[in-house]
């Protein structure tokens, strides 16, 4: 990481421009895949807006997203020439995220079964292989943008602006974002039936993603979430 990418932010570390550069391929992959599958993420506020803008035409929708991909490649080339993004940081970020993703499930299961006394894991449904991959992409990108960048970092920033001390603001935002992250999975037509073990499971996962965001960066949280969901939905589903 360059000195710029190590700069501390109100909550969460790493350079946001670098994180956005790293997670954009997941965003485009999800946006291109979701229109051909039933795998719509519950906090995806982008896909519907784009579809509305193109009057629901799938061909134009694909063109819009491919155009965004071209713009992304051009912007990445420009940022790299200006040394504003260090692409060499991508592979270490991805490797660390993969390690977190593989160990996160075991840790949460241990806490639930040994400390909280809950049995059983989450059902993965009957989605096909491709749909599950798209679900993992959408969860990694959209849920981390909403709950970690928006509610965790944004909530802490607002609390600090209101005069709340940093540690107190961070703790409140951390707990609230983790609980809301879990609760959001039980809301709406795509939500799961509420059970306490599932709610606790997801709240613990939200807390883990929040810690990764806080101590590393947004891109670490996004890829950990994505790879963790790939592990759960593809290999354990």
């Amino acid at each position: 990481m360059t000195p710029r990418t190590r700069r501390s932010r109100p909550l969460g570390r790493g350079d946001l421009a670098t994180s956005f550069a790293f997670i954009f391929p997941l965003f485009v992959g999800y946006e291109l895949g979701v229109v051909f599958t039933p795998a719509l993420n519950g906090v995806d506020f982008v896909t519907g807006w784009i579809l509305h803008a193109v009057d629901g035409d799938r061909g134009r929708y694909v063109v819009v997203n491919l155009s965004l991909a071209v713009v992304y490649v051009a912007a990445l080339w420009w940022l790299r020439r200006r040394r504003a993004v260090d692409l060499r940081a991508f592979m270490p970020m991805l490797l660390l995220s993969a390690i977190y993703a593989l160990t996160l499930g075991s840790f949460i299961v241990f806490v639930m079964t040994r400390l909280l006394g809950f049995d059983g894991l989450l059902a993965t449904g009957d989605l096909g292989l491709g749909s599950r991959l798209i679900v993992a992409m959408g969860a990694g990108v959209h849920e981390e943008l909403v709950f970690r960048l928006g509610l965790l970092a944004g909530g802490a920033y607002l609390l600090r602006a209101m005069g709340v001390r940093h540690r107190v603001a961070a703790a409140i935002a951390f707990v609230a974002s983790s609980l809301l992250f879990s609760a959001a999975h039980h809301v709406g037509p795509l939500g799961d039936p509420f059970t306490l073990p599932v709610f606790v499971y997801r709240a613990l996962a939200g807390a883990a993603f929040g810690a990764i965001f806080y101590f590393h960066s947004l891109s670490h949280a996004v890829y950990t979430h994505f790879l963790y969901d790939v592990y759960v939905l593809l290999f354990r589903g």
Side-chain angles (χ1 to χ4, degrees):
M1 289 285 186
T2 65
R4 183 183 178 187
T5 60
R6 288 194 295 264
R7 184 174 59 204
S8 179
R9 295 187 174 275
L11 196 61
R13 292 170 172 78
D15 181 66
L16 277 179
T18 300
S19 283
F20 285 135
F22 287 169
I23 68 178
F24 192 82
L26 284 184
F27 169 79
V28 172
Y30 166 79
E31 292 299 324
L32 288 173
V34 73
V35 74
F36 300 107
T37 71
L40 185 66
N41 186 266
V43 293
D44 174 9
F45 305 111
V46 178
T47 301
W49 181 83
I50 298 177
L51 282 170
H52 178 75
V54 298
D55 297 324
D57 187 281
R58 289 188 176 184
R60 291 165 62 187
Y61 175 88
V62 171
V63 169
V64 168
N65 282 283
L66 290 178
S67 299
L68 290 175
V70 171
V71 172
Y72 163 77
V73 172
L76 195 63
W77 175 82
W78 181 77
L79 289 170
R80 186 179 180 185
R81 283 181 60 88
R82 293 177 58 88
R83 297 183 179 179
V85 172
D86 184 8
L87 297 182
R88 294 173 300 178
F90 178 80
M91 289 308 299
M93 179 277 298
L94 184 63
L95 177 60
L96 185 58
S97 298
I99 294 172
Y100 281 141
L102 291 175
T103 57
L104 178 58
S106 298
F107 171 75
I108 292 177
V109 170
F110 171 80
V111 171
M112 287 190 63
T113 58
R114 299 297 179 87
L115 300 183
L116 299 180
F118 293 140
D119 294 322
L121 292 173
L122 300 179
T124 57
D126 55 357
L127 293 175
L129 183 65
S131 295
R132 292 186 182 193
L133 183 60
I134 300 303
V135 165
M137 289 182 179
V141 174
H142 290 284
E143 292 177 12
E144 293 308 304
L145 288 175
V146 170
F147 293 103
R148 252 56 70 184
L149 184 61
L151 293 180
L152 179 52
Y157 180 83
L158 289 176
L159 289 172
R160 290 183 62 191
M162 295 167 59
V164 180
R165 290 184 300 172
H166 172 76
R167 290 185 179 180
V168 177
I172 293 174
F174 189 87
V175 173
S177 62
S178 299
L179 294 177
L180 289 172
F181 167 76
S182 183
H185 290 82
H186 301 284
V187 176
L190 299 178
D192 296 328
F194 179 85
T195 62
L196 186 59
V198 170
F199 181 85
V200 172
Y201 179 94
R202 286 200 173 108
L204 289 172
F209 296 140
I212 293 169
F213 166 73
Y214 183 86
F215 290 107
H216 293 288
S217 72
L218 175 63
S219 60
H220 283 85
V222 167
Y223 274 92
T224 298
H225 194 157
F226 163 62
L227 293 172
Y228 170 72
D229 279 6
V230 168
Y231 169 66
V232 172
L233 295 174
L234 297 187
F235 298 106
R236 301 189 67 170

